[in-house]
Amino acid sequence: MTRLLREKIFLSTLAVFVSVLMLSGCDSASVDPLDGDLAAEVDVQNGDIIPGQYIVVLDEAKLGKAPAEVVREFVRREDVELMHAYGTALQGFAAKMSEEQADELGRDERIKYVEPNRMIVLSPCKNNPNHPKCDDGGDGGGTQEEPWGIKRVGGAGNGAGKTACVLDTGVDLDHPDLNVDVAKSISFVNGESVDDGHGHGTHVAGTIGAVNNNEGVIGVAAGATIVGIKVLANSGGGTYDDVIAGIDHVAANPSLCDVANMSLGGGFSQAINDAVIAASAAAPFTLAAGNESTHAQYRSPASANGPGIYTISAFERRRDRFASYSNYGNPPIDYAAPGSSVKSTYKNGGYATLSGTSMAAPHVAGIILLGPINTDGTVRNDRDNNPDQIAVR
């Protein structure tokens, strides 16, 4: 592996990136909160490189002293602006620096590799042709219902005593249909609380563990405790360095959760994949395969592989058909789960019906909280002609 992973810079200035993250959330009925509205508003793509920002991963076998001391040395020597220091899932740091500084660091034998920081932008609804509508989160709660996806994976079970970490846009901290551990929830997005101003993370959380309380919906592992780990902004955008900080937090706190769900992703990142692989020793990870209709091996964290890591594709309600938007490929995909027209909890105490592999992954997270993953047949029309097994509890 080369020490410096060079790639073409897609954004002309960092100011463009900053302006993207300041865009408002998805409050229009023409935009799907699953997929966000950033890419629809500006010419920014999921996985775009952020100019002047890099992720540096140390080679622990060559350090000769404590990793934290080595990080401090590099930051002082190169006079770079530190954004995050990582100490468990990865040994390394993220910083603002010039390309020349990144080149110099890449030549140091104590550094395993340097890669550019990237954007995560939840994809626009227009790229999801099978989505029945672009919902604004206005679905009512009313009498409790068991969404079709919950039924398809074996019905709701009792998740009491189990905990799921949701690495996402945060979680609605006082949603009446969620059991959120507010004290343990945390935000890695500068200037934003863990409270979900977007809706995506709350939707994921409800599929995992919405409470059996005769209200709204019920989750796979009903009543499971939710720990929100905010790594994406209320705008629906985020950066790889913040995502790695969230993964590192899970790795550093092995008693924090019984499963960690990441319904997010972008272009390939060795750093994100390495972080997930290391953190899976602390808790199993469920990963969305992604919604680009391409092979999941080109996406991160979907392409991370290892024990306790489960990449999930999506299928539709009708005849278990593989969703046209879902990424595919075995490996890295391990199972398929319901992903289209999934109703769940949403921001501001609401409910929404959304679609995507983001909706599929938390079904499997809930299954893991209840016991082993079993299977019930395979999906129809899988794009790689190697049908994914349908996960059930």
Side-chain angles (χ1 to χ4, degrees):
M1 180 181 297
T2 59
R3 291 181 180 162
L4 179 61
L5 306 178
R6 300 174 183 263
E7 295 184 67
K8 179 182 178 181
I9 294 177
F10 294 104
L11 303 179
S12 60
T13 65
L14 182 59
V16 171
F17 165 75
V18 173
S19 68
V20 167
L21 291 187
M22 295 178 65
L23 289 174
S24 62
C26 308
D27 294 318
S28 166
S30 65
V31 176
D32 184 297
L34 150 74
D35 293 321
D37 62 350
L38 299 184
E41 296 294 332
V42 296
D43 187 19
V44 174
Q45 300 299 316
N46 197 18
D48 277 357
I49 292 171
I50 304 170
Q53 296 187 14
Y54 293 86
I55 297 165
V56 181
V57 179
L58 306 179
D59 188 337
E60 296 179 64
K62 299 179 180 179
L63 297 184
K65 52 186 173 182
E69 189 175 342
V70 176
V71 170
R72 287 192 293 270
E73 174 193 329
F74 284 135
V75 170
R76 286 195 302 266
R77 187 186 80 189
E78 299 296 330
D79 191 26
V80 298
E81 183 180 341
L82 185 68
M83 299 188 296
H84 288 291
Y86 311 120
T88 307
L90 293 177
Q91 298 293 340
F93 61 97
K96 296 179 181 179
M97 66 183 81
S98 68
E99 186 175 357
E100 290 73 24
Q101 288 172 310
D103 275 331
E104 183 173 345
L105 284 172
R107 289 191 291 269
D108 193 300
E109 66 176 8
R110 293 170 295 173
I111 289 178
K112 187 180 295 184
Y113 58 87
V114 179
E115 68 176 40
N117 197 13
R118 291 176 176 273
M119 289 189 64
I120 287 180
V121 179
L122 299 174
S123 308
C125 170
K126 66 184 180 182
N127 288 340
N128 189 344
N130 279 6
H131 196 305
K133 61 176 180 176
C134 295
D135 200 289
D136 66 353
D139 287 359
T143 303
Q144 180 173 281
E145 63 179 278
E146 188 176 30
W148 80 268
I150 309 299
K151 294 177 182 177
R152 182 64 184 87
V153 300
N158 183 3
K162 297 294 185 177
T163 302
C165 288
V166 176
L167 287 77
D168 214 290
T169 59
V171 176
D172 185 348
L173 298 179
D174 55 2
H175 198 293
D177 216 358
L178 292 176
N179 177 21
V180 181
D181 190 329
V182 177
K184 292 182 179 178
S185 296
I186 186 171
S187 175
F188 289 96
V189 177
N190 188 34
E192 292 192 5
S193 86
V194 70
D195 204 19
D196 186 6
H198 183 276
H200 188 264
T202 302
H203 196 280
V204 166
T207 296
I208 295 172
V211 178
N212 185 4
N213 58 357
N214 298 316
E215 179 179 351
V217 295
I218 188 169
V220 176
T225 299
I226 302 296
V227 173
I229 300 179
K230 188 167 192 164
V231 295
L232 299 180
N234 290 333
S235 62
T239 58
Y240 280 15
D241 67 299
D242 285 348
V243 172
I244 294 172
I247 300 168
D248 197 53
H249 181 70
V250 174
N253 297 277
S255 63
L256 184 61
C257 50
D258 300 297
V259 69
N261 186 87
M262 295 181 67
S263 287
L264 52 80
F268 183 85
S269 164
Q270 191 65 54
I272 283 189
N273 284 10
D274 287 349
V276 168
I277 291 167
S280 66
F285 273 70
T286 48
L287 312 172
N291 304 323
E292 293 82 20
S293 304
T294 190
H295 202 294
Q297 68 180 328
Y298 303 117
R299 317 301 294 179
S300 290
S303 54
N305 262 318
I309 301 172
Y310 305 95
T311 299
I312 313 302
S313 63
F315 66 87
E316 301 172 0
R317 184 172 189 171
R318 183 168 176 247
R319 301 181 66 228
D320 295 338
R321 289 194 312 183
F322 192 80
S324 64
Y325 52 78
S326 179
N327 289 348
Y328 54 88
N330 314 86
I333 291 172
D334 299 286
Y335 298 100
S340 295
S341 301
V342 173
K343 184 174 182 178
S344 186
T345 49
Y346 193 59
K347 66 178 181 178
N348 299 326
Y351 298 85
T353 299
L354 308 177
S355 297
T357 59
S358 283
M359 283 60 256
H363 283 87
V364 180
I367 292 171
I368 289 171
L369 293 182
L370 298 177
I373 303 172
N374 295 303
T375 59
D376 178 24
T378 58
V379 295
R380 298 173 182 267
N381 303 321
D382 193 322
R383 292 170 65 94
D384 62 1
N385 296 315
N386 184 9
D388 299 337
Q389 295 186 87
I390 295 173
V392 298
R393 70 182 189 87

